Amino acid sequence: MTTELFRDDSYLNVCDATVTGHGERCVFVDQTVFYPLGGGQPGDTGAIRWDSGEARVVDTRYVDGNIGHIVEEGATLPAPGIAVELAIDWDRRYRHMRMHTAMHLLGSILLYPVTGGNISADKSRLDFDMEDTVDKEAVSEALARLVTEDHGVSCRWISEEELDANPELVRTMSVQPPRGKGSIRLLEIAGVDLQPCGGTHLRSTAEVGAVRIGKVEKKGRQNRRVNIHLDD
Ligand SMILES: [Zn+2]
């Protein structure tokens, strides 16, 4: 299993690692800062460097339960056992973190079940199970206020036993935690949101910066798609 350094520190953009094996066009290592596609957040891109070479990572995904660093076609792969440096494209990932954190804020404003979502560096969307019309101006204002108020964002692991011993925690969560894995990673935006989430987030909501609500689309009678954009 790959040690997932990004889970405890989403601001790590580079790390040393040892190659543990290969898949098709993909490199496995003992530990990584690369986030694999999941929870609506894209896999990281970046580079793997070693003494005699470098390979461009074009995507990161779970492959057979391990984090696979997918390299560009025709790239030379570093041999198993050798030391490498892993570096993510930080500008792109940081935008994913801003977007991802903004999505949590949006979910705390529109208190409807979320049926889908997708994050990218330029534009993201969240789908809500709702019939009401979205008041775009009010949502924009509420979002801007949460950013300005600069709420702290933190993650912590909790065991299923701890969760069972604190049922009020589950009641305050906007999404029910998945069971059966032993421990659950909770994302908390102080005073705003608490829910299980495995993605990469900011340290504070102020870092979301210039965010704007885009088009609100009606996708069926009971589905509203809210688009958000970063303005820089
Ligand atoms: Zn999250």
Side-chain angles (χ1 to χ4, degrees):
M1 284 294 282
T2 322
T3 301
E4 304 181 340
L5 300 173
F6 53 86
R7 299 263 187 230
D8 293 317
D9 185 356
S10 57
Y11 286 79
L12 274 180
N13 57 12
V14 62
C15 76
D16 292 326
T18 302
V19 177
T20 55
H22 297 155
E24 198 192 335
R25 259 181 70 199
C26 116
V27 178
F28 300 119
V29 293
D30 59 343
Q31 58 173 9
T32 189
V33 291
F34 280 70
Y35 179 82
L37 171 74
Q41 185 178 328
D44 283 328
T45 58
I48 303 180
R49 300 187 189 99
W50 62 100
D51 268 355
S52 57
E54 173 169 348
R56 177 91 201 130
V57 178
V58 295
D59 197 3
T60 308
R61 287 169 185 256
Y62 278 110
V63 178
D64 302 328
N66 270 307
I67 294 181
H69 303 75
I70 317 293
V71 297
E72 62 187 349
E73 199 137 358
T76 306
L77 302 183
I82 77 164
V84 292
E85 183 188 78
L86 304 175
I88 59 173
D89 293 330
W90 174 248
D91 289 350
R92 177 174 178 269
R93 154 72 92 71
Y94 187 62
R95 292 179 77 82
H96 292 164
M97 286 160 59
R98 290 173 62 198
M99 282 290 201
H100 191 132
T101 306
M103 298 291 236
H104 283 279
L105 298 181
L106 186 58
S108 78
I109 296 164
L110 290 170
L111 294 171
Y112 298 90
V114 171
T115 54
N118 192 62
I119 292 167
S120 82
D122 299 316
K123 160 179 163 172
S124 300
R125 61 172 173 81
L126 213 49
D127 291 347
F128 294 92
D129 180 2
M130 61 187 283
E131 286 183 47
D132 306 343
T133 308
V134 175
D135 183 342
K136 198 172 136 176
E137 210 146 288
V139 172
S140 296
E141 277 173 26
L143 185 58
R145 188 166 53 242
L146 289 171
V147 172
T148 308
E149 285 171 353
D150 195 10
H151 297 267
V153 182
S154 60
C155 284
R156 65 178 187 273
W157 292 90
I158 187 168
S159 68
E160 290 181 7
E161 292 74 32
E162 281 174 82
L163 206 57
D164 292 336
N166 296 279
E168 76 284 356
L169 209 52
V170 177
R171 275 200 299 276
T172 56
M173 284 182 208
S174 52
V175 174
Q176 293 302 301
R179 298 292 189 132
K181 280 194 160 178
S183 60
I184 293 151
R185 186 171 181 262
L186 295 183
L187 178 273
E188 180 164 29
I189 302 178
V192 178
D193 190 28
L194 176 69
Q195 65 172 282
C197 186
T200 60
H201 310 91
L202 301 168
R203 293 187 186 109
S204 88
T205 62
E207 287 187 47
V208 171
V211 66
R212 175 172 54 84
I213 302 287
K215 255 197 307 196
V216 177
E217 300 165 88
K218 191 170 173 176
K219 296 274 175 188
R221 190 174 63 86
Q222 195 121 329
N223 197 2
R224 300 293 176 273
R225 171 168 293 176
V226 181
N227 293 284
I228 66 172
H229 306 268
L230 296 177
D231 269 344
D232 52 7

